[in-house]
Short mmCIF file of all heavy atoms in Angstrom, two decimals:
data_model
loop_
_atom_site.label_atom_id
_atom_site.label_comp_id
_atom_site.label_asym_id
_atom_site.label_seq_id
_atom_site.Cartn_x
_atom_site.Cartn_y
_atom_site.Cartn_z
N ASP A 219 -124.36 65.20 -146.57
CA ASP A 219 -125.78 65.51 -146.67
C ASP A 219 -126.55 64.91 -145.50
O ASP A 219 -127.56 65.47 -145.06
CB ASP A 219 -126.36 64.99 -147.97
CG ASP A 219 -125.87 65.77 -149.18
OD1 ASP A 219 -125.42 66.92 -149.01
OD2 ASP A 219 -125.95 65.23 -150.29
N LYS A 220 -126.10 63.78 -144.99
CA LYS A 220 -126.77 63.11 -143.88
C LYS A 220 -126.06 63.32 -142.55
O LYS A 220 -126.50 62.78 -141.53
CB LYS A 220 -126.88 61.61 -144.16
CG LYS A 220 -127.71 61.26 -145.38
CD LYS A 220 -127.78 59.76 -145.58
CE LYS A 220 -128.64 59.40 -146.78
NZ LYS A 220 -128.70 57.94 -147.00
N ASN A 221 -124.98 64.11 -142.54
CA ASN A 221 -124.21 64.33 -141.33
C ASN A 221 -123.84 63.01 -140.66
O ASN A 221 -124.00 62.84 -139.45
CB ASN A 221 -124.96 65.23 -140.36
CG ASN A 221 -125.28 66.59 -140.95
OD1 ASN A 221 -126.44 67.01 -140.98
ND2 ASN A 221 -124.27 67.29 -141.41
N THR A 222 -123.35 62.10 -141.46
CA THR A 222 -123.08 60.74 -140.99
C THR A 222 -121.70 60.29 -141.45
O THR A 222 -121.29 60.58 -142.57
CB THR A 222 -124.14 59.77 -141.51
OG1 THR A 222 -125.44 60.18 -141.05
CG2 THR A 222 -123.88 58.35 -141.02
N VAL A 223 -121.01 59.59 -140.57
CA VAL A 223 -119.75 58.95 -140.92
C VAL A 223 -119.95 57.45 -140.78
O VAL A 223 -120.66 56.98 -139.89
CB VAL A 223 -118.59 59.47 -140.05
CG1 VAL A 223 -118.80 59.14 -138.58
CG2 VAL A 223 -117.26 58.91 -140.55
N TYR A 224 -119.30 56.69 -141.67
CA TYR A 224 -119.46 55.26 -141.72
C TYR A 224 -118.13 54.57 -141.52
O TYR A 224 -117.07 55.11 -141.81
CB TYR A 224 -120.03 54.82 -143.07
CG TYR A 224 -121.35 55.45 -143.43
CD1 TYR A 224 -121.39 56.59 -144.23
CD2 TYR A 224 -122.54 54.92 -142.96
CE1 TYR A 224 -122.60 57.18 -144.56
CE2 TYR A 224 -123.76 55.51 -143.29
CZ TYR A 224 -123.78 56.63 -144.09
OH TYR A 224 -124.97 57.21 -144.42
N LEU A 225 -118.20 53.35 -141.04
CA LEU A 225 -117.04 52.48 -140.99
C LEU A 225 -117.46 51.14 -141.57
O LEU A 225 -118.18 50.37 -140.93
CB LEU A 225 -116.52 52.31 -139.56
CG LEU A 225 -115.22 51.51 -139.44
CD1 LEU A 225 -114.06 52.28 -140.06
CD2 LEU A 225 -114.91 51.18 -137.98
N GLN A 226 -117.01 50.88 -142.79
CA GLN A 226 -117.24 49.60 -143.43
C GLN A 226 -116.16 48.64 -142.98
O GLN A 226 -114.97 48.91 -143.17
CB GLN A 226 -117.24 49.74 -144.95
CG GLN A 226 -117.43 48.43 -145.70
CD GLN A 226 -118.81 47.86 -145.52
OE1 GLN A 226 -119.80 48.57 -145.62
NE2 GLN A 226 -118.88 46.56 -145.24
N MET A 227 -116.55 47.53 -142.39
CA MET A 227 -115.62 46.57 -141.83
C MET A 227 -115.77 45.25 -142.58
O MET A 227 -116.82 44.61 -142.50
CB MET A 227 -115.85 46.37 -140.34
CG MET A 227 -115.81 47.66 -139.53
SD MET A 227 -115.94 47.39 -137.75
CE MET A 227 -117.60 46.72 -137.66
N ASN A 228 -114.74 44.88 -143.30
CA ASN A 228 -114.72 43.64 -144.05
C ASN A 228 -113.66 42.71 -143.49
O ASN A 228 -112.77 43.13 -142.76
CB ASN A 228 -114.45 43.90 -145.54
CG ASN A 228 -115.50 44.74 -146.20
OD1 ASN A 228 -116.69 44.65 -145.87
ND2 ASN A 228 -115.09 45.56 -147.17
N SER A 229 -113.75 41.45 -143.87
CA SER A 229 -112.77 40.44 -143.44
C SER A 229 -112.57 40.49 -141.93
O SER A 229 -111.44 40.50 -141.43
CB SER A 229 -111.44 40.64 -144.17
OG SER A 229 -111.60 40.57 -145.57
N LEU A 230 -113.66 40.49 -141.21
CA LEU A 230 -113.61 40.64 -139.76
C LEU A 230 -112.88 39.47 -139.11
O LEU A 230 -112.97 38.33 -139.56
CB LEU A 230 -115.01 40.76 -139.19
CG LEU A 230 -115.67 42.13 -139.40
CD1 LEU A 230 -117.17 42.05 -139.16
CD2 LEU A 230 -115.04 43.17 -138.48
N LYS A 231 -112.17 39.80 -138.05
CA LYS A 231 -111.42 38.83 -137.26
C LYS A 231 -111.91 38.86 -135.82
O LYS A 231 -112.43 39.87 -135.36
CB LYS A 231 -109.92 39.17 -137.29
CG LYS A 231 -109.31 39.25 -138.67
CD LYS A 231 -107.85 39.69 -138.59
CE LYS A 231 -107.22 39.77 -139.96
NZ LYS A 231 -105.80 40.20 -139.88
N PRO A 232 -111.72 37.77 -135.08
CA PRO A 232 -112.12 37.78 -133.67
C PRO A 232 -111.50 38.92 -132.89
O PRO A 232 -112.14 39.46 -131.98
CB PRO A 232 -111.64 36.42 -133.17
CG PRO A 232 -111.69 35.54 -134.37
CD PRO A 232 -111.27 36.43 -135.51
N GLU A 233 -110.28 39.32 -133.22
CA GLU A 233 -109.63 40.41 -132.51
C GLU A 233 -110.25 41.77 -132.79
O GLU A 233 -109.88 42.76 -132.16
CB GLU A 233 -108.12 40.44 -132.80
CG GLU A 233 -107.79 40.38 -134.28
CD GLU A 233 -107.43 38.98 -134.74
OE1 GLU A 233 -108.16 38.03 -134.38
OE2 GLU A 233 -106.41 38.82 -135.45
N ASP A 234 -111.18 41.85 -133.74
CA ASP A 234 -111.93 43.08 -133.97
C ASP A 234 -113.05 43.26 -132.96
O ASP A 234 -113.69 44.32 -132.93
CB ASP A 234 -112.51 43.11 -135.38
CG ASP A 234 -111.45 43.15 -136.46
OD1 ASP A 234 -110.45 43.87 -136.29
OD2 ASP A 234 -111.63 42.48 -137.49
N THR A 235 -113.32 42.25 -132.16
CA THR A 235 -114.37 42.33 -131.15
C THR A 235 -114.08 43.46 -130.17
O THR A 235 -113.01 43.49 -129.55
CB THR A 235 -114.51 41.00 -130.41
OG1 THR A 235 -114.91 39.98 -131.33
CG2 THR A 235 -115.53 41.10 -129.29
N ALA A 236 -115.01 44.38 -130.03
CA ALA A 236 -114.82 45.54 -129.17
C ALA A 236 -116.09 46.38 -129.18
O ALA A 236 -116.99 46.15 -129.99
CB ALA A 236 -113.64 46.40 -129.64
N VAL A 237 -116.14 47.35 -128.28
CA VAL A 237 -117.12 48.41 -128.37
C VAL A 237 -116.52 49.51 -129.23
O VAL A 237 -115.41 49.99 -128.95
CB VAL A 237 -117.51 48.96 -126.99
CG1 VAL A 237 -118.48 50.13 -127.13
CG2 VAL A 237 -118.14 47.86 -126.15
N TYR A 238 -117.23 49.89 -130.27
CA TYR A 238 -116.76 50.91 -131.19
C TYR A 238 -117.47 52.23 -130.89
O TYR A 238 -118.69 52.28 -130.82
CB TYR A 238 -117.02 50.50 -132.64
CG TYR A 238 -116.06 49.44 -133.13
CD1 TYR A 238 -116.13 48.14 -132.64
CD2 TYR A 238 -115.09 49.75 -134.07
CE1 TYR A 238 -115.24 47.18 -133.08
CE2 TYR A 238 -114.20 48.78 -134.51
CZ TYR A 238 -114.28 47.50 -134.02
OH TYR A 238 -113.40 46.54 -134.46
N HIS A 239 -116.68 53.29 -130.73
CA HIS A 239 -117.19 54.61 -130.41
C HIS A 239 -116.85 55.60 -131.52
O HIS A 239 -115.70 55.67 -131.96
CB HIS A 239 -116.59 55.14 -129.10
CG HIS A 239 -117.04 54.40 -127.88
ND1 HIS A 239 -118.14 54.80 -127.15
CD2 HIS A 239 -116.54 53.31 -127.26
CE1 HIS A 239 -118.28 53.98 -126.12
NE2 HIS A 239 -117.32 53.07 -126.17
N CYS A 240 -117.83 56.37 -131.91
CA CYS A 240 -117.61 57.49 -132.81
C CYS A 240 -117.08 58.68 -132.03
O CYS A 240 -117.47 58.91 -130.88
CB CYS A 240 -118.92 57.84 -133.51
SG CYS A 240 -118.81 59.16 -134.73
N ASN A 241 -116.20 59.45 -132.65
CA ASN A 241 -115.58 60.60 -132.00
C ASN A 241 -115.44 61.73 -133.00
O ASN A 241 -115.22 61.50 -134.19
CB ASN A 241 -114.20 60.21 -131.44
CG ASN A 241 -113.45 61.38 -130.87
OD1 ASN A 241 -112.55 61.94 -131.50
ND2 ASN A 241 -113.80 61.77 -129.65
N GLY A 242 -115.56 62.96 -132.52
CA GLY A 242 -115.38 64.11 -133.39
C GLY A 242 -115.33 65.40 -132.61
O GLY A 242 -115.55 65.42 -131.40
N GLY A 243 -115.01 66.49 -133.32
CA GLY A 243 -114.96 67.78 -132.65
C GLY A 243 -114.44 68.88 -133.55
O GLY A 243 -114.11 68.65 -134.72
N PRO A 244 -114.34 70.08 -132.98
CA PRO A 244 -113.94 71.25 -133.74
C PRO A 244 -112.43 71.32 -133.92
O PRO A 244 -111.67 70.61 -133.25
CB PRO A 244 -114.44 72.40 -132.87
CG PRO A 244 -114.33 71.88 -131.48
CD PRO A 244 -114.70 70.41 -131.59
N PRO A 245 -111.98 72.21 -134.80
CA PRO A 245 -110.54 72.40 -134.97
C PRO A 245 -109.87 72.75 -133.65
O PRO A 245 -110.39 73.54 -132.86
CB PRO A 245 -110.45 73.56 -135.96
CG PRO A 245 -111.74 73.51 -136.72
CD PRO A 245 -112.75 73.06 -135.72
N GLY A 246 -108.72 72.16 -133.43
CA GLY A 246 -107.97 72.41 -132.21
C GLY A 246 -108.40 71.60 -131.02
O GLY A 246 -107.76 71.66 -129.97
N GLY A 247 -109.48 70.83 -131.16
CA GLY A 247 -110.00 70.07 -130.04
C GLY A 247 -109.37 68.72 -129.82
O GLY A 247 -109.70 68.04 -128.85
N GLY A 248 -108.51 68.32 -130.70
CA GLY A 248 -107.84 67.04 -130.59
C GLY A 248 -106.79 66.90 -131.66
O GLY A 248 -106.52 67.84 -132.41
N ASP A 249 -106.20 65.75 -131.72
CA ASP A 249 -105.20 65.47 -132.74
C ASP A 249 -105.10 63.96 -132.89
O ASP A 249 -104.47 63.29 -132.07
CB ASP A 249 -103.84 66.06 -132.34
CG ASP A 249 -102.83 66.03 -133.46
OD1 ASP A 249 -102.89 65.11 -134.31
OD2 ASP A 249 -101.96 66.92 -133.51
N TYR A 250 -105.72 63.42 -133.93
CA TYR A 250 -105.70 61.98 -134.12
C TYR A 250 -104.29 61.46 -134.36
O TYR A 250 -103.97 60.33 -133.99
CB TYR A 250 -106.61 61.59 -135.29
CG TYR A 250 -108.08 61.72 -134.99
CD1 TYR A 250 -108.94 62.33 -135.91
CD2 TYR A 250 -108.62 61.23 -133.81
CE1 TYR A 250 -110.29 62.45 -135.65
CE2 TYR A 250 -109.97 61.35 -133.54
CZ TYR A 250 -110.80 61.96 -134.47
OH TYR A 250 -112.15 62.08 -134.21
N GLY A 251 -103.46 62.29 -134.96
CA GLY A 251 -102.07 61.88 -135.20
C GLY A 251 -101.29 61.65 -133.91
O GLY A 251 -100.35 60.86 -133.89
N LEU A 252 -101.68 62.34 -132.85
CA LEU A 252 -101.06 62.19 -131.54
C LEU A 252 -101.92 61.37 -130.60
O LEU A 252 -101.65 61.31 -129.40
CB LEU A 252 -100.77 63.56 -130.92
CG LEU A 252 -99.79 64.45 -131.69
CD1 LEU A 252 -99.66 65.80 -131.01
CD2 LEU A 252 -98.43 63.78 -131.80
N ASP A 253 -102.95 60.73 -131.12
CA ASP A 253 -103.88 59.91 -130.36
C ASP A 253 -104.57 60.72 -129.27
O ASP A 253 -104.77 60.24 -128.14
CB ASP A 253 -103.17 58.70 -129.75
CG ASP A 253 -104.15 57.61 -129.33
OD1 ASP A 253 -105.28 57.59 -129.85
OD2 ASP A 253 -103.77 56.78 -128.48
N ILE A 254 -104.94 61.95 -129.60
CA ILE A 254 -105.71 62.80 -128.70
C ILE A 254 -107.11 62.93 -129.28
O ILE A 254 -107.29 63.57 -130.32
CB ILE A 254 -105.07 64.19 -128.54
CG1 ILE A 254 -103.64 64.07 -128.01
CG2 ILE A 254 -105.92 65.06 -127.61
CD1 ILE A 254 -102.89 65.37 -127.99
N PRO A 255 -108.12 62.33 -128.65
CA PRO A 255 -109.46 62.39 -129.23
C PRO A 255 -110.08 63.77 -129.13
O PRO A 255 -109.65 64.60 -128.31
CB PRO A 255 -110.24 61.37 -128.39
CG PRO A 255 -109.50 61.30 -127.10
CD PRO A 255 -108.06 61.51 -127.44
N TYR A 256 -111.08 64.01 -129.94
CA TYR A 256 -111.82 65.26 -129.92
C TYR A 256 -112.92 65.22 -128.85
O TYR A 256 -113.07 64.24 -128.13
CB TYR A 256 -112.38 65.55 -131.31
CG TYR A 256 -111.31 65.96 -132.30
CD1 TYR A 256 -110.49 65.02 -132.91
CD2 TYR A 256 -111.10 67.30 -132.61
CE1 TYR A 256 -109.49 65.40 -133.80
CE2 TYR A 256 -110.11 67.68 -133.50
CZ TYR A 256 -109.31 66.73 -134.09
OH TYR A 256 -108.32 67.11 -134.98
N ASP A 257 -113.70 66.29 -128.78
CA ASP A 257 -114.55 66.52 -127.61
C ASP A 257 -115.76 65.61 -127.51
O ASP A 257 -116.22 65.31 -126.40
CB ASP A 257 -115.05 67.97 -127.61
CG ASP A 257 -113.95 68.98 -127.35
OD1 ASP A 257 -112.88 68.59 -126.85
OD2 ASP A 257 -114.17 70.18 -127.65
N TYR A 258 -116.31 65.19 -128.63
CA TYR A 258 -117.61 64.54 -128.62
C TYR A 258 -117.50 63.04 -128.87
O TYR A 258 -116.74 62.59 -129.73
CB TYR A 258 -118.54 65.18 -129.66
CG TYR A 258 -118.67 66.67 -129.46
CD1 TYR A 258 -118.16 67.56 -130.40
CD2 TYR A 258 -119.28 67.19 -128.33
CE1 TYR A 258 -118.26 68.93 -130.22
CE2 TYR A 258 -119.38 68.56 -128.14
CZ TYR A 258 -118.87 69.42 -129.09
OH TYR A 258 -118.98 70.78 -128.90
N TRP A 259 -118.30 62.28 -128.11
CA TRP A 259 -118.31 60.83 -128.18
C TRP A 259 -119.72 60.30 -128.33
O TRP A 259 -120.66 60.82 -127.74
CB TRP A 259 -117.72 60.22 -126.91
CG TRP A 259 -116.25 60.42 -126.71
CD1 TRP A 259 -115.66 61.43 -126.02
CD2 TRP A 259 -115.21 59.57 -127.19
NE1 TRP A 259 -114.29 61.27 -126.04
CE2 TRP A 259 -113.99 60.14 -126.75
CE3 TRP A 259 -115.17 58.41 -127.95
CZ2 TRP A 259 -112.75 59.56 -127.04
CZ3 TRP A 259 -113.96 57.83 -128.25
CH2 TRP A 259 -112.77 58.41 -127.79
N GLY A 260 -119.85 59.25 -129.11
CA GLY A 260 -121.07 58.47 -129.08
C GLY A 260 -121.03 57.47 -127.94
O GLY A 260 -120.00 57.27 -127.29
N GLN A 261 -122.15 56.83 -127.69
CA GLN A 261 -122.25 55.89 -126.58
C GLN A 261 -121.70 54.51 -126.91
O GLN A 261 -121.51 53.70 -126.01
CB GLN A 261 -123.70 55.78 -126.10
CG GLN A 261 -124.19 57.03 -125.40
CD GLN A 261 -125.54 56.84 -124.75
OE1 GLN A 261 -126.48 56.40 -125.39
NE2 GLN A 261 -125.61 57.16 -123.46
N GLY A 262 -121.45 54.25 -128.16
CA GLY A 262 -120.80 53.02 -128.55
C GLY A 262 -121.76 51.98 -129.10
O GLY A 262 -122.95 51.96 -128.79
N THR A 263 -121.21 51.11 -129.93
CA THR A 263 -121.95 49.98 -130.46
C THR A 263 -121.04 48.75 -130.41
O THR A 263 -119.87 48.81 -130.75
CB THR A 263 -122.44 50.26 -131.90
OG1 THR A 263 -123.25 49.17 -132.36
CG2 THR A 263 -121.29 50.48 -132.87
N GLN A 264 -121.60 47.64 -129.94
CA GLN A 264 -120.82 46.43 -129.75
C GLN A 264 -120.66 45.68 -131.05
O GLN A 264 -121.63 45.45 -131.78
CB GLN A 264 -121.51 45.52 -128.72
CG GLN A 264 -120.81 44.18 -128.50
CD GLN A 264 -119.51 44.30 -127.76
OE1 GLN A 264 -119.45 44.96 -126.72
NE2 GLN A 264 -118.45 43.68 -128.29
N VAL A 265 -119.42 45.29 -131.34
CA VAL A 265 -119.10 44.41 -132.46
C VAL A 265 -118.49 43.15 -131.89
O VAL A 265 -117.51 43.21 -131.15
CB VAL A 265 -118.14 45.08 -133.46
CG1 VAL A 265 -117.65 44.08 -134.50
CG2 VAL A 265 -118.80 46.27 -134.12
N SER A 266 -119.07 42.00 -132.22
CA SER A 266 -118.58 40.72 -131.74
C SER A 266 -118.34 39.81 -132.93
O SER A 266 -119.23 39.63 -133.77
CB SER A 266 -119.59 40.08 -130.79
OG SER A 266 -119.80 40.88 -129.64
#
């Protein structure tokens, strides 16, 4: 309804520190199972 995807992160560890990017796209545009991202990217949000 909100066209939004969430990532709830619990029990955070220092090794989780990174820039996190949202990714998505149409059918055939990628394959997460083969580590091939889809066409669209967000600009990222820093998690420290």
